[in-house]
Amino acid sequence: MATQDKLPDGTIVDLTDEQKAERGLDLRQDNVSNTVEALKEYDTEISKKLMTDLKAAFPDLSRKQISAIIGNLHHESRGFTQYQQTKGEGVSYAQWSGSRKTEFLNFSKENNLDPKGYDAPLKFLVYELNNNRKHGFLNKNFSEAFNNPDASVEELTKIFENNYLAAGKKLMSDRIADALMYNSNEGE
């Protein structure tokens, strides 16, 4: 839908991109449709299941804490659509790589789970958060920071990324935007 203006004689005309820019308007075509399409990215079966299943696994975590986790996983896996990392070795929702990739694949095999399915990454994530001394809640600094009731979604997203994921390219603003979307989606 083009942005329009009404001339003094009542004629409706479409504004050019230059006119839109002069008026400080968004230059994207059909901004509303773009927004609706973008929001669909966050309304997936996987994200809804993760919200429910992580709450069941960690009943003491708040929605903002779980949103920080899901927002980070969303970022890592390109909206839960990419199993293999682009130009890298990472796999699944958390893009586990190195020894953690090996541990994830072994965990999947030992538990008869499909590493490309839903259950393997969920169960491995829960396992690591409960048992990994470096990247899980057994890490006292991580646990204390992540369980600070005054921490914002933005802060929780950073804490989770820095302690659990420790990605090479953080792109923190994207992770935070994803987490905020999950935290604001109260309809789930």
Side-chain angles (χ1 to χ4, degrees), residues 39-186:
L39 291 176
K40 288 180 183 176
E41 172 185 354
Y42 299 95
D43 186 26
T44 68
E45 182 178 331
I46 292 172
S47 63
K48 289 177 182 177
K49 284 182 73 171
L50 281 171
M51 186 65 73
T52 300
D53 292 343
L54 288 174
K55 186 63 177 171
F58 301 103
D60 293 335
L61 292 185
S62 67
R63 182 176 185 88
K64 63 183 182 176
Q65 289 170 302
I66 294 172
S67 295
I69 295 170
I70 297 174
N72 269 295
L73 298 178
H74 175 107
H75 176 81
E76 288 292 322
S77 65
R78 294 190 177 216
F80 305 104
T81 63
Q82 185 173 326
Y83 174 78
Q84 178 73 40
Q85 183 179 30
T86 304
K87 297 180 182 179
E89 67 169 305
V91 296
S92 198
Y93 302 161
Q95 295 296 296
W96 291 292
S97 60
S99 63
R100 290 173 80 193
K101 175 183 176 181
T102 303
E103 290 169 15
F104 167 66
L105 294 173
N106 288 341
F107 178 91
S108 298
K109 186 175 182 179
E110 291 164 8
N111 290 282
N112 201 26
L113 299 169
D114 177 2
K116 293 184 179 180
Y118 173 80
D119 288 334
L122 168 70
K123 290 181 178 184
F124 187 70
L125 171 68
V126 170
Y127 174 81
E128 273 207 322
L129 288 173
N130 282 324
N131 298 290
N132 189 304
R133 294 192 182 281
K134 180 177 180 183
H135 299 287
F137 294 142
L138 293 178
N139 174 330
K140 185 179 176 187
N141 292 333
F142 175 27
S143 181
E144 286 178 3
F146 199 69
N147 286 299
N148 175 355
D150 298 324
S152 67
V153 173
E154 295 88 344
E155 292 166 326
L156 292 166
T157 302
K158 291 175 186 176
I159 292 165
F160 188 81
E161 195 293 321
N162 289 330
N163 289 277
Y164 184 77
L165 295 170
K169 294 182 181 177
K170 297 192 183 305
L171 300 172
M172 198 59 73
S173 62
D174 292 344
R175 293 171 188 280
I176 290 170
D178 293 337
L180 288 168
M181 287 301 298
Y182 286 112
N183 192 55
S184 69
N185 191 1
E186 295 291 343

